[in-house]
Amino acid sequence: MGCASSFHISDRVVNHSGKESEDSQNCPQPGHIKPSNACQSTLTEVRFGPMKLYEDQLQVLLVFAKDDAQSNSFCGACERAGFRCNVARTPEAALESFQEKKHDLIIMDHRHSRFFDAEALCRSIRAISCSQNTVIVAVVKRPDREEATVMPLISAGFNRRYVENSNMMSCYNELIQLHHGEIRAQIKLRACNAVFTALEQSQEAIEISSEDHIIQYVNPAYECIMGYQRGELLKENTEVPKSEQNKPDLLDNISSCLRRGKEWQGVYYAKKKNGDSVQQNVKMTPVVGQGGKIRHCVSVNRPLNDHNKTEKPCERVQAESQTDIQQFCKHKDRRKGSLDVRSTTSRGSDAGSSQRRYSSMARIHSMTIEAPITKVINIINAAQESSPMPVAEALDRVLEILRTTELYSPQLGTKEEDPHTNDLVGGLMTDGLRRLSGNEYILATKQLHHIPGHLTTPLSLNDIPPCIAQTMENEDSWDFDIFSLESATIKRPLTYLGLKIFSRFGVCEFLSCPEATLRSWLQIIEANYHSSNSYHNSTHAADVLHATAYFLCKERVKQSLDPIDEVAALIAAAVHDVDHPGRTNSFLCNAGSELAILYNDTAVLESHHAALAFQITTRDDKCNIFKNMERNEYRTLRQAVIDMVLATEMTKHFEHVNKFVNSINKPLAALEENGDNGDEDSVKSILTTPENRILVKRMLIKCADISNPCRPLELCIEWAGRISEEYFAQTDEEKQQGLPVVMPVFDRNTCSIPKSQISFIDYFITDMFDAWDAFADLPNLMQHLDNNFRYWKSLDEKKLRSLRPPPE
């Protein structure tokens, strides 16, 4: 590029092919530069908190009085980075170019003061209002002796300096660092204009204060409602005006919430400029800032629908007794659930004033989505309008509970109070802590296991070896020893027990499939269980199959289910953990496993078990037990199997149990209380509805899946040792890979197995088996459960951490 004209501007435009467009000037280039592929896109998406921004192609202005190696290197670096580049030779040209194009980055030559005063030019650019978000870099000489201070550059308006280095890659790296650092930060700051525009237009009064309660921002709606002008609040260190009508305990409650980083919402008196107090619905949200500390508080205030103008008697009573109404901190604690729905009305009201319903419920009334929960909320909302104060407050509390996402989860104690239960819940009922790291646990897409060679000719049911047949003689008893069968079959109990149980229930006849097909299917399903897992192996599958068959023989269950339900339950039990890796869902989500990615961190393993089971079954006619089924019947069976396998996921454990109790246990109990227990039609109407049959099947497989604490003591102890070892191995691997440890108490060096069993029984087992026993009549299971609990309790009381007491 020539220097004949002092106002000459070169506009270097790089198109997507990496070549200069025709209107570019002939600026000398250090050579052909291939632009970075990462920068080819015209728009780049940038995240700014919850806001999505789009970044245009960056505009760069180079201000160099003459061509030299440094300016040419920056020209080439811009091409490589895919940035649009202008070159100006004089201060006048630079100002003209900047006013026209509003560059994101200006790189200015500060090495030769005889050509132009770089600091004066920087001040001139900074005097232009749109320059506040532009990054300006000074190219300075390499110091001969002592390093000079950068303060004169900063005072002039430069953001940073670049010590001259004409190496192409050095210039390119500088541009990339600027782009991802200062420039992107300025783009985000520019986006704040949109946020402030939204705040300015909001009809709700918004106030932002510092950690010391000094007002830092109010919007026009605040000015209008409170009577203040923004200037008078911001010109000095003005504290948030406080009304004397707010009682000290309310203020302490608010401060406590905000200090703990919790949002507070409730009714609050605000003080207007004229001294009047106005009652408002207020939501205060603490915002974390520098140093990870709470630096700001955002308050969104809304008058109580102008009820302050004509105060009703009930409102006066409420205002006078404000200290008696406990406001609430909105945080996601679990609420203690109960099988007794009456418990929800016995709790103290902490939802704040009933006035809240006039504003917060208005939107719910206007909703057009008539989901069942919406109808319930509308009914409650309508009932509130004519209810006395205590009832309205209780209904407010009900509405708060209904809006939570954990309607069925009991409330836990603190981590310190009950670490075992907390860890079990964290490990079994969550999808893990998301961790952005390079550590990834790849559960590779593996080849499906084929039937081992020595089993390619399946044995007939009548040809089962005598030692195995003898072991299975009492398979219809609850006290059946699955571990003896595991030993006798050399860790292939599922095939042999499956043959016998499926034969007993006539599964082949129902599916219209030959026995040889069923044998092949059982063998290939068992081959896809991991024998290396201490717990989640084919012995566990066989155990769940055994429990399922036992439950299917109970009278109430037989009354409720059809033959297709029984077949679906047996198939679901056999496949419910196929290809289980011996790690929990939380582990796979934390590790970024392929399965977690495939299933979006939701019911990862259960979705995989169900999908793989049908993939294995239908890929080969030799083991396709569904081949001869009519299409609609197959779809019904498939849906039932999938639903039951997914029901074994623990995140919805309490939802399934509570639905079973409220939809089946309680109506049956009501019939008994009314003396209608003998009315077969009434009982049948409860048991055989499609919805309730689904609930029975879910409850059946859930109880079968975690029935270990209800087995005879020796079997219970063996299962406890196996699951503990699997959790120990997971904790070991989490520590080794630097992943979050989701169940810290399961450290093989410190874990108390009795405590873990006590917590598991208390939290998951007792209520579920109480409900299942009330339905299916299982006194022997409940006796085992009681005996086993006392056993673990006795070990814990002796401060023992092992499976068994030491030998005397």
Side-chain angles (χ1 to χ4, degrees), residues 420-606:
H420 289 79
T421 303
N422 272 275
D423 282 2
L424 283 168
V425 172
L428 300 177
M429 296 187 67
T430 67
D431 291 323
L433 303 169
R434 306 302 182 261
R435 176 186 172 96
L436 299 177
S437 75
N439 297 318
E440 290 195 348
Y441 180 88
I442 301 300
L443 190 68
T445 305
K446 65 189 189 73
Q447 296 295 320
L448 300 179
H449 291 290
H450 296 277
I451 301 172
H454 60 282
L455 289 176
T456 51
T457 307
L459 296 171
S460 167
L461 181 62
N462 297 324
D463 296 331
I464 290 176
C467 63
I468 297 176
Q470 185 177 358
T471 305
M472 293 194 298
E473 279 182 353
N474 68 331
E475 55 84 18
D476 57 348
S477 165
W478 181 254
D479 295 347
F480 172 67
D481 186 352
I482 193 69
F483 299 115
S484 296
L485 182 62
E486 178 190 62
S487 176
T489 59
I490 317 175
K491 294 188 176 182
R492 298 199 307 278
L494 181 60
T495 299
Y496 291 95
L497 186 64
L499 280 171
K500 187 167 186 184
I501 288 177
F502 278 51
S503 174
R504 176 154 62 93
F505 280 84
V507 173
C508 285
E509 291 80 359
F510 181 87
L511 298 175
S512 301
C513 78
E515 185 186 18
T517 303
L518 175 63
R519 292 195 300 267
S520 298
W521 180 80
L522 285 168
Q523 287 173 328
I524 198 167
I525 290 294
E526 183 157 40
N528 278 277
Y529 276 90
H530 297 200
S531 60
S532 57
N533 292 343
S534 58
Y535 183 88
H536 286 101
N537 49 40
S538 68
T539 304
H540 168 65
D543 183 63
V544 175
L545 176 62
H546 170 264
T548 299
Y550 183 83
F551 294 151
L552 287 173
C553 294
K554 293 298 169 182
E555 191 59 36
R556 272 273 171 82
V557 178
K558 288 194 291 185
Q559 284 180 277
S560 178
L561 301 185
D562 292 337
I564 194 170
D565 298 316
E566 295 180 355
V567 172
L570 294 171
I571 292 172
V575 305
H576 83 282
D577 272 333
V578 67
D579 197 37
H580 196 295
R583 299 292 181 264
T584 63
N585 280 334
S586 296
F587 178 95
L588 298 182
C589 294
N590 285 336
S593 73
E594 290 182 0
L595 285 181
I597 293 170
L598 176 64
Y599 293 110
N600 301 313
D601 289 354
T602 304
V604 175
L605 285 171
E606 293 73 23

Side-chain angles (χ1 to χ4, degrees), residues 164-237:
E164 62 178 340
N165 183 343
S166 59
N167 178 275
M168 164 67 68
M169 188 52 67
S170 176
C171 294
Y172 173 75
N173 288 339
E174 180 71 8
L175 290 178
I176 296 303
Q177 290 179 79
L178 285 165
H179 178 202
H180 289 275
E182 283 95 332
I183 295 173
R184 187 153 287 175
Q186 292 297 334
I187 289 171
K188 293 177 180 179
L189 283 175
R190 226 174 282 164
C192 289
N193 293 330
V195 177
F196 277 107
T197 300
L199 294 177
E200 293 285 292
Q201 299 297 325
S202 173
Q203 295 182 6
E204 295 179 319
I206 298 172
E207 161 201 307
I208 301 176
S209 59
S210 70
E211 55 190 320
D212 300 320
H213 311 294
I214 304 300
I215 292 181
Q216 299 188 328
Y217 169 84
V218 294
N219 69 343
Y222 182 96
E223 295 177 297
C224 180
I225 293 171
M226 304 304 294
Y228 292 99
Q229 292 300 312
R230 182 183 301 173
E232 59 188 328
L233 291 174
L234 302 183
K235 66 182 178 181
E236 297 178 358
N237 289 338

Side-chain angles (χ1 to χ4, degrees), residues 763-776:
Y763 195 74
F764 291 107
I765 298 297
T766 301
D767 284 347
M768 182 172 73
F769 272 92
D770 279 342
W772 189 235
D773 172 48
F775 176 77

